[in-house]
Amino acid sequence: MYGIADLDNCYVSCERVFRPDLKDKPVVVLSNNDGMIVARSNEAKAMGIQDCTPYFELAQKFPGQKIAVFSSNYELYGELTGRVISIISKEAPAYFRYSIDECFMYLDGIDQDKLQKWGENLYKRVKREVGMPISIGLAPNKTLAKIASKLAKKFVVYRHCCMIDDDYKREKALEWCPIEDVWGIGRRYAARLQSLGCRTALDFARLHRDWVQLTFNNINIVRTWQELNGEDVVPNEELAKKKSICTSRSFNGMISDYETLRTHVANYASRCAEKLRIQKTVASIVGVFVNTNAFREDLAQYWNFQETRLITPTNSTISIVQAASDVLRGIFREGYQYKKAGVIVMGITPDSPLQQDLFDLNAEQIQKMRRLDEAVDRINRMNGTETIVIGSQQYADKTAKGKSVAFADVIKRNFKSKNPTTRWSDIIHLK
């Protein structure tokens, strides 16, 4: 049996941990630069607040309504969800963190008759020790477990844990689940299936396998069909590692000078390197893209992407930042107002064993870079994100000559909450 633990309204739940006064009140969380709504509480959803609503429209559409608004605080969200994963690691025989708010669990060794109670107890422990609600789905494969978690979140009768363990429960769950909500069915395939009369997961599951294979000619769609019919076919290793990692942002305003743009790209490259180390992988390709604001028809438009191949795959911050800076130098053009940039690392493989090139860094230098990254990661975990960064990640503050500011301080975050669990300056003071 498989399980998945899905944090309910993750970002909102994180904000409520230290703001119990917001219980049962509408809460929204904004995207980077406070652009649009990316997370909503159930109360906000009930008011009719839609996902991706631009922030400036909130007051226009809901005048006089008291809505708590927060900027994205990924440092807080990462730390609190990490506590949830720590609990899961102690309760589940094996697990894999799928995203910031979801974690797959492999439950071999737990008696199936006891799984329902086990899931309910896991919910209670997470709620008690972290203060965040989770929904748990249990099933014979990962796709059905995802559907079960949606049922656990939707209906209180399940007590936060839904188990699909026979064909009757499976068919009832598939009958309830819209085809667009099935894990593995993207927007394009969902629209195509709906045009063919498949409104629910059960409609899709009842199609003949040969028809599905001939119509879509896509191994992932066929696997999804198999899992909806009770088979366990999605390989665990395909979930374990990302095949590419992208970090990108739209800027707060527009950028025309190379140095400021290079600093943004250095920060994105640094985050890609950190994500590689977290999943114990290295990358052999570093790509960079830049583009102007397509909505400003009065301005000259430009878009470009280039990549470079590294001689030896790496997850070193210094190496990946240097490669990204070299690529940016080749695609930057004077005279344009840039609105967005991003870094993509590809050619991802496990970090051990590492195949070195005869003409690249020697083994001693590679080990030195690895020890440096480990030390920086450890300090940043203990003292807060960006306690230590490389020089190219610091922005020059134009209002104070010679002064530098961190990446987090450049992004527009007017409603950001504090970080009482990771920063001494934000620690809670009791009266």
Side-chain angles (χ1 to χ4, degrees), residues 1 88 90-94 105-119 122 138 163:
M1 291 288 283
I88 291 172
K90 296 179 177 67
E91 295 289 339
M105 301 170 288
Y106 309 110
L107 304 176
D108 294 342
I110 299 179
D111 191 341
Q112 189 164 325
D113 294 336
K114 299 178 180 177
L115 274 177
Q116 180 70 37
K117 190 65 176 177
W118 177 88
L122 177 61
L138 307 172
M163 182 163 67

Side-chain angles (χ1 to χ4, degrees), residues 248-260:
S248 64
R249 298 285 187 276
S250 293
F251 307 134
N252 179 21
M254 288 185 284
I255 295 172
S256 58
D257 66 291
Y258 172 76
E259 284 302 319
T260 303

